[in-house]
Amino acid sequence: MYSKVVLLRFPREIVNEPIVANLVKRFDLSFNILKATIYPRKEGMVVMELTGNRKNYNAGVKYLGDVGVKVENISQDIRRNEERCFHCGVCTAVCPTGALYIERPEMSVAFEKDRCSACELCVIACPAKAMEVNFDRALLDS
Amino acid sequence: MAHYKVKKTIDEINRKIRGGKVVVVTAEEMVDIVKATGPEKAAREIDVVTTGTFSPMCSSGAFINFGHTKPPIKASQVFLNGVPAYAGLAAVDIFIGATEPSIDDPLNKVHPGQFKYGGGHVIEDLVSGKRVELIARSYGTDCYPNREIKKQIRLKDMPNAVLMNPRNAYQNYNCAINLKDDIIYTYMGVLRPKGDNANYATAGQLSPLFNDPYYLTIGLGTRIFLGGAQGYVVWAGTQHNPSVNRGKNGVPLGPGATLMVMGSLKEMNSHWLVGLSILGYGCSLAVGIGVPIPILNEDLAKYTGISDEDIFTQIIDYGKDYPQGKAKSLGEVSYAELKSGTITLNGKTIQTSPVSSYVRAKEVAETLKEWIEVGQFYLSQPQHPLKDI
């Protein structure tokens, strides 16, 4: 089983088409939408976790590209400042995807970027301000 | 104390440090040693057990004398990087408190506030060698006519700077949950609604006061690891409560003793003093503290051999009970359970997260161990025991 969080940008021409449903029907993928917005000019943006077997996942992502959806790997957008992080664990209480978790028995905080949905809850919850956003926030907030 | 089979003194241990023959282990290592050999043999073999904690400690701050100016000023209002410092002392003496937010911080006006910069951050910036903007205002006197000064200042420019923390190193602390229907933002971190997660503090078996639960070796003048330098216990901390309920092993079942600690800020470093922004709560400072426990007899070996399974705390509702000042125990859990990642309350499994760093706590204990082994750190004889305060 393969699972990845991706950011999809839908151009306005296809925003009304059931593209995500096709991922389920044709490619046997399951999805979990973490964030979805339609912007004033009608482009759509969806952050979702896409799960299935690796081959189907790749075929599904290719399909998205073919119909005009821009697929971005968003996990690289949240970074941890390793100098500032002192492994307290506060972020693990708010991380919804389990990308931040305690490694036992060391009790250090691990950050698995592939599981990060870039929700940014850790960014404001981290007392040491060690979680940084490298993100086009203006686009998300608009 | 005549009944002890092992009797050592602090002087004897210091002689061993001087001769390079001292045997030091961390409180984590001591757990297995005492389990394997029993307290008596452990007491013969081990001279010192080092402890450590690294955690938000709100009751922290620094006394600073920023030096006289020409013409001189009797400062009555002082800001460091926009953070107000208490100036109700002599002309250029101030106290900067860890939780003081910057003067233009929006606080909780948009809840939860982010508290991006405060006294804790000023202290971190100073110890890391950064320049800090000092603004001092005065009403002017015949002897101190200057009304206002504004300058960039570094820690090394200051005639005196002392970290002086009124309450650190709490002996045990609550495990916090939230039974309300809404998320809450506390000094114990973010608590999701309906008891969905539980947060806890302290380093458990590594934490200083769990390893000498009756303060037999700790008191006024105990030399400690503080902020990366050598500091001292100067009194019991505020809210010190030695008469707390204890388990059969003597370990408090809730918040007990506390330490007031002091040391030269100029010798400390920013790895061990980190400014914090606690979401929806305020600014603070994470402080690294380690106390060496001399193993003078088998009782102290037994106490320092304590493990997370033997240390318990109370689950407290920070949603409804705590804000009303009616904190009551909803259940008792061990630190072994808390550290496992889940606890069970009323049949429900709850995810746990720490707010103290066990990784750094261990680093404190290991650093202190090394200092003692190489003869950089000697134990001190407390002048007034904590148990009598």
Side-chain angles (χ1 to χ4, degrees), chain B residues 12-328:
Chain B
E12 282 165 27
I13 294 173
N14 279 340
R15 275 198 293 276
K16 282 187 174 180
I17 298 175
R18 203 163 288 121
K21 288 180 185 144
V22 71
V23 181
V24 191
V25 297
T26 67
E28 194 184 74
E29 293 163 338
M30 189 65 168
V31 174
D32 289 338
I33 294 171
V34 173
K35 255 180 208 156
T37 68
E40 191 191 321
K41 187 152 183 279
R44 285 187 208 285
E45 287 171 3
I46 310 295
D47 300 312
V48 185
V49 169
T50 58
T51 62
T53 184
F54 188 80
S55 198
M57 302 204 194
C58 290
S59 199
S60 298
F63 280 112
I64 287 169
N65 177 293
F66 59 81
H68 285 286
T69 52
K70 278 185 188 173
I73 189 168
K74 179 192 182 300
S76 53
Q77 232 190 350
V78 174
F79 302 91
L80 294 169
N81 276 353
V83 179
Y86 181 73
L89 300 162
V92 292
D93 281 349
I94 54 171
F95 184 79
I96 177 81
T99 68
E100 188 70 45
S102 168
I103 193 75
D104 52 6
D105 193 290
L107 308 174
N108 262 340
K109 288 189 187 84
V110 179
H111 190 258
Q114 294 197 33
F115 301 94
K116 287 185 176 169
Y117 196 88
H121 300 91
V122 171
I123 292 170
E124 180 189 336
D125 281 346
L126 284 172
V127 292
S128 59
K130 288 186 185 153
R131 284 172 198 275
V132 165
E133 183 192 62
L134 167 80
I135 294 176
R137 298 198 184 100
S138 172
Y139 45 82
T141 72
D142 289 341
C143 43
Y144 293 108
N146 207 342
R147 297 291 182 100
E148 182 166 325
I149 57 166
K150 185 174 173 178
K151 63 174 179 177
Q152 299 288 320
I153 190 165
R154 286 167 301 185
L155 183 58
K156 67 175 183 180
D157 306 324
M158 295 168 169
N160 314 90
V162 179
L163 190 76
M164 165 75 228
N165 302 348
R167 181 172 75 250
N168 282 180
Y170 233 126
Q171 185 183 31
N172 213 347
Y173 212 77
N174 302 332
C175 167
I177 63 164
N178 166 28
L179 295 182
K180 276 209 314 194
D181 293 334
D182 307 305
I183 194 165
I184 60 168
Y185 302 89
T186 74
Y187 64 81
M188 291 296 289
V190 179
L191 296 168
R192 302 196 299 263
K194 298 176 184 169
D196 200 37
N197 69 319
N199 291 352
Y200 67 97
T202 102
Q205 64 194 12
L206 265 178
S207 185
L209 294 172
F210 279 143
N211 285 283
D212 184 3
Y214 292 107
Y215 338 115
L216 301 175
T217 69
I218 304 170
L220 167 66
T222 296
R223 190 177 294 123
I224 59 170
F225 174 109
L226 178 62
Q230 298 189 17
Y232 293 89
V233 173
V234 294
W235 202 248
T238 53
Q239 298 180 24
H240 176 63
N241 179 20
S243 54
V244 58
N245 284 336
R246 291 169 191 268
K248 278 181 190 156
N249 55 13
V251 176
L253 300 169
T258 64
L259 300 179
M260 191 176 287
V261 299
M262 196 167 180
S264 170
L265 197 62
K266 294 190 177 204
E267 294 168 20
M268 297 181 189
N269 73 66
S270 56
H271 185 70
W272 298 114
L273 293 173
V274 178
L276 302 181
S277 306
I278 301 175
L279 186 62
Y281 178 71
C283 302
S284 191
L285 183 71
V287 183
I289 294 183
V291 178
I293 314 286
I295 306 305
L296 305 176
N297 54 53
E298 53 269 39
D299 268 3
L300 284 161
K302 185 184 75 187
Y303 290 136
T304 50
I306 201 137
S307 78
D308 288 327
E309 284 88 34
D310 312 314
I311 311 172
F312 294 85
T313 191
Q314 312 302 315
I315 303 170
I316 303 288
D317 171 30
Y318 276 64
K320 290 175 187 160
D321 291 351
Y322 192 91
Q324 293 179 50
K326 291 196 287 196
K328 62 175 188 290

Side-chain angles (χ1 to χ4, degrees), chain A residues 83-95 102 104-109 121 123-129, chain B residues 54 114 124 189-190 192 197 199-200 274-279 286 339-341 351-360:
Chain A
E83 288 281 297
R84 281 211 69 78
C85 172
F86 58 80
H87 300 270
C88 62
V90 166
C91 57
T92 65
V94 297
C95 181
I102 301 281
R104 298 183 166 79
E106 302 83 5
M107 300 303 287
S108 56
V109 177
L121 286 175
V123 177
I124 51 170
C126 172
K129 293 279 161 275
Chain B
F54 188 80
Q114 294 197 33
E124 180 189 336
V190 179
R192 302 196 299 263
N197 69 319
N199 291 352
Y200 67 97
V274 178
L276 302 181
S277 306
I278 301 175
L279 186 62
K339 277 171 75 178
S340 77
Q351 181 209 332
T352 59
S353 296
V355 299
S356 302
S357 172
Y358 193 81
V359 173
R360 284 274 169 102

